Amino acid sequence: MAHRDTGAGEPVLRRWEARSFLGAQMDTNLYLVGFMGTGKSTVGRQVARQVGFTFLDSDHEIERLQGQPVSAIFAERGEAAFRAMEREFIERGHPPKKCVISCGGGLVVPPGMLELLRSRGVVICMHAPIETILQRTSHTTHRPLLQVDNREQRLRELYAQREELYRRTGTMVLTDKRPLREIAAHVLRVYRQEAAQFGK
Ligand code: S3P
């Protein structure tokens, strides 16, 4: 696929290429899931830019709608209320087509959420080893689940609890020690194959 260099070092598709990429069924939403710190938003933004889709981050959309940060929602209304907001966002809170959505790490955890996502579009899981996640989240202040004394222990517990579930979500794309450009290309290859089959 031919690329134009923007000068920023990141290839984007030319207009006609984006159109031919989109094709008949290539307007299906793409949902990126995976543990916190796996790079869902960074990769999602890049992929959205390359195909001309709208990029949305479920945490940011919920924060915008509620007028408060995720940490305040957890503290004042509890995790269950936040999970209900995530479900509401997936059910009714975003356009049904041409979006790349970075899903908060726990969004896919409650029963039925994976099936719901799959009914809306292509689901791809971002993956990184726990050591990388520990590093990437070491300066985090905004993640309520990590506001504990022993952050490493908390992350290891959560990772172990959720690993199996993430593996079941769909194709996993490793985001560790790979350039963003390569990761985005991998995600796009998988998206293309799966979007062609979507709804069939
Ligand atoms: C959470 C992950 C966060 C955010 C909230 C809960 C989780 O999103 O939704 O803090 O349960 O794993 P990121 O995966 O974008 O950090």
Side-chain angles (χ1 to χ4, degrees):
M1 195 175 283
H3 290 118
R4 173 166 58 90
D5 201 310
T6 56
E10 289 168 350
V12 293
L13 296 178
R14 290 195 189 95
R15 217 173 258 283
W16 66 269
E17 288 168 333
R19 267 206 302 275
S20 71
F21 169 85
L22 293 175
Q25 60 281 72
M26 296 296 173
D27 53 3
T28 305
N29 276 355
L30 167 61
Y31 298 91
L32 297 183
V33 301
F35 205 71
M36 48 189 129
T38 51
K40 299 173 299 259
S41 298
T42 309
V43 175
R45 219 172 265 117
Q46 172 74 10
V47 168
R49 192 145 52 108
Q50 288 188 214
V51 295
F53 280 19
T54 302
F55 172 75
L56 296 171
D57 177 305
S58 64
D59 285 345
H60 293 168
E61 292 307 302
I62 289 169
E63 289 180 333
R64 198 166 54 81
L65 203 70
Q66 300 297 324
Q68 57 180 173
V70 170
S71 53
I73 299 173
F74 266 69
E76 290 170 23
R77 293 146 84 180
E79 181 172 347
F82 176 72
R83 299 299 173 204
M85 291 170 197
E86 290 188 311
R87 176 180 280 274
E88 173 71 19
F89 169 72
I90 296 299
E91 282 178 339
R92 279 174 283 273
H94 69 290
K97 302 241 178 251
K98 293 190 183 180
C99 289
V100 176
I101 293 114
S102 165
C103 299
L107 184 146
V108 77
V109 173
M113 287 302 283
L114 176 57
E115 292 69 22
L116 178 61
L117 286 182
R118 285 204 182 122
S119 73
R120 303 274 149 153
V122 172
V123 181
I124 302 180
C125 185
M126 301 294 100
H127 175 70
I130 183 68
E131 306 308 331
T132 303
I133 286 169
L134 287 169
Q135 241 173 31
R136 287 186 188 162
T137 56
S138 63
H139 299 296
T140 291
T141 52
H142 66 277
R143 289 181 169 106
L145 294 178
L146 302 186
Q147 283 161 9
V148 292
D149 290 339
N150 192 338
R151 182 183 292 206
E152 175 169 347
Q153 188 188 353
R154 179 79 170 125
L155 274 167
R156 285 186 187 280
E157 279 167 13
L158 271 176
Y159 192 89
Q161 276 167 24
R162 293 180 180 176
E163 204 175 5
E164 183 50 36
L165 170 82
Y166 289 133
R167 285 193 192 284
R168 278 192 281 116
T169 58
T171 304
M172 299 189 89
V173 171
L174 182 69
T175 62
D176 194 33
K177 301 188 175 73
R178 293 173 85 186
L180 178 57
R181 183 182 301 210
E182 191 184 306
I183 300 165
H186 187 173
V187 168
L188 276 172
R189 272 198 309 279
V190 175
Y191 169 77
R192 255 178 140 154
Q193 284 163 7
E194 299 196 4
Q197 295 306 315
F198 184 75
K200 282 192 179 167

